[in-house]
């Protein structure tokens, strides 16, 4: 009797190198534009507060809708590489037009079309990475996804600072010019180095990518409840970041600029922690890491609620970084494991929780302005605790094992 040889695994670095360059380009293209979007609309476009608000709400909502439609198409047909190229091309067109155009309505039209389509580049890159990693090195797929998320974080560490320098030198024309160059680089990487991958076969066994604690499809209620849980944890991230400078000034009676040091410390801690959690995915279940990470979020916001001084917040950034690393890094693989044959839909469901959480955080920040900015930490604690409890509920309620799924 002859046993079939196991498929040869390719080195993880060979799969990650072109993908890492793609993620770096995508990350920089977003990181140089997004933090200064409101400033751009106010100063260069001369949009009033009402128009800026409309732009900042309509734009992410359009991105959510288009990304969801693109996700379904990408899971139905083997066209994900072509989607990456088309989305990067849309971003290139949108950025180039913005270099020269300052008409509010033209820019809004771009935001709900080309820029919204370009937003699909982020989740589709993760979906593509998942398929490539499962093909080349399935035992380390979750670790590879966490590594890619770390590359995106690196782009955000340097992107805003680079954009600030470009603003001083040449204004928003240079900023959007750099974004256009990054989209062009993403197109080049996709055309030259990436190959097309077929869609996963429905019912095909999911490769084991780590310790499996339960195998079987989740009950129907588990997926939407998990999405709600992630939204509940995304809201505090945006809310507290926006409230932090005001909290330091009004409640801790410190220099608001110290918020930048606090956030920078957290970002610096996130990178090694994401890599560490990625390595742990080969030894522990994603479910365990996500639940423990969300518990760290509850702990951090509770500390902020009672923090008497700035140094307490600074020390608590270790806990905050653990929370963000678990949710933002491991969370993508966790959702992908729930829909193994639909990586595009799974990743988009997760990434859509970012803009939805940011939209919800806006009114809560206004409420915190009336109640006192320390209350933002109270709201964040409650929301994160609710998300933690929902994740805990989904983690302990599973259907019996069925072939074709691996929910870890």
């Amino acid at each position: 009797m002859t046993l079939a040889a196991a498929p040869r695994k390719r080195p993880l670095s060979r799969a990650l190198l072109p993908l890492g360059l793609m993620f770096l380009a995508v990350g920089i293209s977003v990181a140089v534009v997004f933090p200064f979007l409101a400033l751009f609309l106010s100063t260069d476009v001369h949009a009033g507060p009402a128009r800026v608000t409309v732009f900042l709400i309509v734009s992410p909502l359009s991105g959510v809708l288009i990304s969801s439609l693109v996700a379904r198409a990408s899971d139905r047909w083997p066209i994900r590489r072509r989607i990456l190229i088309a989305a990067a091309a849309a971003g290139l067109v949108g950025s180039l037009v913005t270099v020269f155009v300052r008409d509010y309505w033209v820019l809004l039209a771009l935001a709900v079309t080309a820029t919204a389509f370009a937003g699909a580049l982020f989740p589709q890159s993760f979906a593509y990475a998942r398929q490539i990693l499962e093909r080349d090195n399935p035992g380390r797929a979750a670790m590879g996804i966490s590594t890619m998320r770390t590359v995106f974080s690196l782009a955000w560490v340097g992107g805003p600072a680079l954009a600030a320098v470009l603003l001083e030198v040449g204004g928003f024309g240079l900023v959007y010019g750099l974004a256009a160059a990054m989209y062009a680089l993403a197109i080049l990487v996709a055309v030259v180095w990436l190959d097309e991958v077929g869609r996963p076969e429905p019912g095909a066994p999911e490769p084991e990518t780590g310790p499996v604690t339960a195998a079987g499809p989740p009950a129907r209620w588990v997926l939407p409840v998990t999405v709600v849980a992630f939204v509940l944890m995304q809201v505090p991230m945006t809310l507290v970041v926006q409230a932090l400078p005001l909290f330091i000034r009004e409640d801790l009676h410190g220099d608001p600029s110290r918020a930048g040091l606090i956030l920078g410390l957290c970002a610096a801690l996130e990178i090694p922690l994401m890599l560490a959690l990625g390595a742990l995915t080969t030894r522990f279940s994603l479910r365990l890491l996500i639940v423990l990470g969300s518990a760290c979020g509850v702990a951090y916001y509770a500390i902020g609620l009672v923090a008497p001084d700035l140094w307490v917040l600074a020390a608590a950034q270790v806990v905050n970084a653990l929370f963000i690393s678990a949710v933002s890094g491991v969370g993508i693989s966790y959702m992908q494991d729930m829909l193994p044959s639909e990586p595009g839909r799974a990743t988009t469901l997760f990434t859509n929780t970012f803009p939805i959480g940011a939209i919800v955080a806006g009114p809560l920040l206004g409420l915190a302005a009336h109640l006192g900015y320390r209350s933002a930490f109270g709201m964040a604690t409650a929301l994160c605790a609710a998300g933690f409890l929902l994740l805990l509920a989904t983690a302990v309620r599973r259907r019996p094992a069925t072939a074709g799924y691996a929910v870890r």
Side-chain angles (χ1 to χ4, degrees):
M1 179 177 179
T2 303
L3 296 176
R8 185 178 180 182
K9 297 179 180 179
R10 302 183 188 181
L12 190 61
S13 59
R14 184 177 300 178
L16 294 186
L17 185 59
L19 289 173
L21 189 56
M22 167 72 80
F23 275 87
L24 185 63
V26 174
I28 293 176
S29 67
V30 177
V32 298
V33 169
F34 183 77
F36 302 96
L37 180 56
L39 179 65
F40 168 69
L41 293 171
S42 300
T43 58
D44 279 36
V45 183
H46 305 293
R51 286 190 175 185
V52 171
T53 301
V54 169
F55 196 102
L56 296 180
I57 292 176
V58 171
S59 181
L61 286 179
S62 300
V64 167
L65 175 60
I66 292 180
S67 293
S68 300
L69 295 175
V70 170
R72 291 189 176 275
S74 70
D75 290 330
R76 183 171 298 180
W77 299 289
I79 57 173
R80 185 157 285 122
R81 173 177 171 271
R82 280 171 277 180
I83 288 176
L84 292 176
I85 295 171
L92 174 61
V93 170
S95 298
L96 286 177
V97 172
T98 309
V99 170
F100 304 103
V101 174
R102 294 295 180 268
D103 181 86
Y104 175 83
W105 297 109
V106 172
L107 294 175
L108 183 61
L110 275 175
V112 300
T113 53
T115 306
F117 184 30
L121 195 58
F122 181 68
Q124 288 301 316
S125 295
F126 277 109
Y128 181 91
R130 173 69 179 220
Q131 287 187 273
I132 291 296
L133 292 167
E134 290 287 12
R135 183 194 70 185
D136 292 353
N137 203 318
R140 296 189 174 184
M143 178 180 178
I145 292 294
S146 292
T147 303
M148 292 297 96
R149 183 61 181 81
T150 303
V151 173
F152 195 81
S153 296
L154 278 171
W156 271 88
V157 170
L162 178 58
V165 172
L166 293 177
L167 280 176
E168 290 291 330
V169 174
F172 280 103
L174 281 182
V175 172
Y176 282 95
L178 175 60
M182 291 299 102
Y183 283 119
L185 177 59
I187 294 173
L188 180 65
V189 171
V191 170
V192 175
W193 284 298
L194 304 187
D195 53 353
E196 194 61 81
V197 288
R199 67 181 297 274
E201 292 295 330
E206 177 75 358
E208 182 176 325
T209 57
V212 178
T213 57
R220 290 182 179 180
W221 61 271
V222 169
L223 184 62
V225 169
T226 302
V227 172
V228 171
F230 280 123
V231 170
L232 289 172
M233 289 186 288
Q234 295 293 349
V235 176
M237 289 187 193
T238 302
L239 174 62
V240 168
V241 167
Q242 292 175 339
L244 187 60
L246 298 165
F247 171 66
I248 292 174
R249 184 185 67 187
E250 301 294 333
D251 294 79
L252 300 183
H253 308 292
D255 185 350
S257 65
R258 297 294 179 88
L261 298 177
I262 296 292
L263 296 175
L265 174 62
C266 181
L269 292 169
E270 285 172 31
I271 294 172
L273 288 175
M274 276 191 188
L275 292 174
L277 288 174
L280 289 176
T281 59
T282 63
R283 301 181 59 187
F284 301 96
S285 72
L286 303 185
R287 188 183 313 158
L288 175 63
L289 296 176
I290 283 289
V291 169
L292 292 178
S294 58
C296 287
V298 178
Y300 169 68
Y301 296 123
I303 291 172
L305 180 61
V306 299
D309 207 340
L310 192 61
W311 70 266
V312 177
L313 274 182
Q317 292 311 304
V318 176
V319 184
N320 188 27
L322 276 169
F323 165 56
I324 296 173
S325 299
V327 172
S328 299
V330 182
I332 296 173
S333 295
Y334 185 74
M335 287 293 293
Q336 289 174 337
D337 276 5
M338 287 188 170
L339 295 169
S341 63
E342 298 177 277
R345 181 185 170 212
T347 310
T348 301
L349 282 172
F350 178 81
T351 57
N352 280 348
T353 64
F354 301 160
I356 293 173
I359 291 170
V360 175
L364 295 181
L365 182 63
L367 180 61
H370 291 284
L371 300 177
Y373 289 104
R374 189 179 291 274
S375 67
F377 282 92
M379 290 183 273
T381 303
L383 289 167
C384 199
F388 165 74
L389 292 175
L390 288 180
L391 282 180
L392 198 60
T394 62
V396 298
R397 293 288 300 276
R398 301 286 182 189
R399 283 183 178 177
T402 303
Y405 291 84
V407 181
R408 298 182 288 129

